[in-house]
Amino acid sequence: MKRIIPLGSSLTALLLTLGLGATHTGTANAAPPPEPASASAPAASAGLLDALQRDLGLTPARAEERLRAEKAATAVEKTARRTAGGSYGGSWFDPASERIVVALTDPAKEDRVRALGADTRVVRHSAAALDRAKARLDTLTAPEGVAGWHVDPRRNSVVVTVVRAERDTPAVRAFVAKARTNGPVTVAEAATAPRTYAAGTVGGDPYYTGNVRCSIGFSVHGGFVTAGHCGPAGAAVRGWDGSAMGTFQGSSFPGNDYAYVSIHSGWWTVPVVLGWGAIPDRLVRGSAEAPVGASICRSGSTTKWHCGTVLGKNETVNYSQGAVHQMTKTSVCAQGGDSGGSFISGDQAQGVTSGGWGNCSTGGQTWFQPVNEILGRYGLTLHTA
């Protein structure tokens, strides 16, 4: 979640608000501005490194090394995918080696891909074949005991996740059997079913639709993106101070979980993700997609700032309201009211919080809708620093 500032505020108030690190109470609290960009600057602020240390068990030094390695791996992955062509079987970041691993169905492509700086693994199924198998599963209606499904490049399989207590029910067993007729399927378990993270109105939080509280995702020119389940198209939005803020111009849920809110005059947007005092507020500089295995952090109005890793992509999540497609799964925790909030990797926007299971006391997993899909759907331009 980030702060959106009324136009009536002075420039000084804006600059101070960019560095906010505490829950707002209706007036801006002075704090240092976000760290400036610099070619010689470290990979991340001390606060971000501390967050990675807390949530991933890394020392600050190791966290900084990892962020640099992930940035390099992201660049290598793009080139490796083109080089692999039809033999591309997916990719992921390996924290142990701090390198991108590229799966290939054709061993003859290994030397060329390794020359780019990637490690390789020979697999049976191409990414395209796995995506087709997953797309066939998307045409099925899943029972509540099925939490979702996604392509896992490390397993070279479509993974169907079932709720542990429901695994042996006839409906779940029948779904899994049907799924296996569509391609390679592996079954995994989740402790509970996923749910969305909207919450009732709580004073002092970022925005409200009716009696629902959610979190802002990312500024775009003219407004912001957030989760679709937070409000329907045409719904009015109130800001953190309770004043009229904007309107949902587009919203999709289920099927997708994204929305675009246009803001009224009197408000403007800034390319910032709130660090809630855990770290300095983060400037958003782009939306390059982080690979599976990379570290990622989330900002939300309930549980503030938390980090984890990317666990999977293109997953279908089966909420009680219906299935949502093309989601990214993470190990980051979240709770009610965090819906719509920002997922960011370094200074690159990743997506908006949708839902998950668990909480930030005992742990859990969350899914987000990738931001680039939302930008493309509504023809939006991300507001970047």
Side-chain angles (χ1 to χ4, degrees), residues 27-383:
T27 59
N29 299 312
E35 64 274 22
S38 170
S40 60
S45 68
L48 176 55
L49 300 178
D50 287 345
L52 291 176
Q53 181 182 20
R54 178 196 67 198
D55 293 335
L56 296 183
L58 303 174
T59 65
R62 287 288 299 121
E64 187 167 350
E65 292 172 3
R66 176 161 171 173
L67 288 173
R68 287 197 176 100
E70 289 174 352
K71 185 175 183 179
T74 299
V76 169
E77 193 274 341
K78 293 180 181 178
T79 306
R81 183 192 290 258
R82 291 194 297 267
T83 301
S87 71
Y88 179 73
S91 60
W92 60 94
F93 179 79
D94 180 11
S97 66
E98 295 193 332
R99 289 164 62 89
I100 195 76
V101 181
V102 178
L104 300 166
T105 59
D106 183 0
K109 295 286 184 72
E110 284 192 280
D111 288 345
R112 292 176 59 192
V113 172
R114 286 173 182 167
L116 300 173
D119 292 333
T120 59
R121 179 181 297 177
V122 177
V123 296
R124 180 178 178 183
H125 306 287
S126 70
L130 294 175
D131 286 343
R132 288 193 295 270
K134 191 243 175 205
R136 288 190 288 270
L137 266 65
D138 287 344
T139 65
L140 305 179
T141 299
E144 290 187 3
V146 175
W149 51 94
H150 70 286
V151 171
D152 187 339
R154 287 168 292 195
R155 300 190 192 189
N156 196 227
S157 175
V158 177
V159 176
V160 175
T161 303
V162 301
V163 179
R164 185 173 299 122
E166 303 290 326
R167 177 167 184 160
D168 292 325
T169 62
V172 170
R173 290 171 66 91
F175 181 87
V176 171
K178 180 66 174 178
R180 283 180 166 144
T181 66
N182 290 285
V185 165
T186 303
V187 176
E189 293 183 353
T192 60
R195 58 185 176 85
T196 56
Y197 282 129
T201 298
V202 176
D205 285 292
Y207 86 89
Y208 309 90
T209 307
N211 66 345
V212 171
R213 169 171 61 85
C214 280
S215 301
I216 294 170
F218 293 96
S219 285
V220 296
H221 291 286
F224 63 86
V225 294
T226 187
H229 71 263
C230 291
V237 172
R238 305 189 309 279
W240 59 269
D241 61 353
S243 66
M245 181 184 193
T247 305
F248 277 83
Q249 295 298 324
S251 181
S252 180
F253 179 81
N256 305 292
D257 195 4
Y258 51 60
Y260 163 51
V261 175
S262 65
I263 54 173
H264 298 326
S265 91
W267 295 82
W268 73 60
T269 60
V270 289
V272 169
V273 171
L274 194 64
W276 295 102
I279 67 165
D281 297 349
R282 304 295 295 168
L283 288 174
V284 178
R285 301 189 185 278
S287 58
E289 187 177 331
V292 170
S295 62
I296 193 168
C297 298
R298 180 192 54 73
S299 182
S301 61
T302 299
T303 58
K304 316 310 181 192
W305 184 267
H306 287 275
C307 299
T309 58
V310 179
L311 299 178
K313 297 185 180 184
N314 192 25
E315 179 156 356
T316 297
V317 181
N318 192 37
Y319 294 126
S320 61
Q321 301 94 327
V324 176
H325 309 296
Q326 295 178 317
M327 303 278 271
T328 297
K329 179 166 64 176
T330 81
S331 64
V332 188
C333 67
Q335 293 176 199
D338 287 329
S339 279
S342 321
F343 267 93
I344 189 166
S345 181
D347 57 10
Q348 300 296 303
Q350 299 298 307
V352 300
T353 304
S354 174
W357 60 268
N359 55 55
C360 288
S361 296
T362 61
Q365 294 178 344
T366 52
W367 287 266
F368 67 80
Q369 188 89 64
V371 69
N372 288 331
E373 179 183 357
I374 309 172
L375 300 176
R377 169 62 180 83
Y378 295 117
L380 303 171
T381 302
L382 187 68
H383 191 165

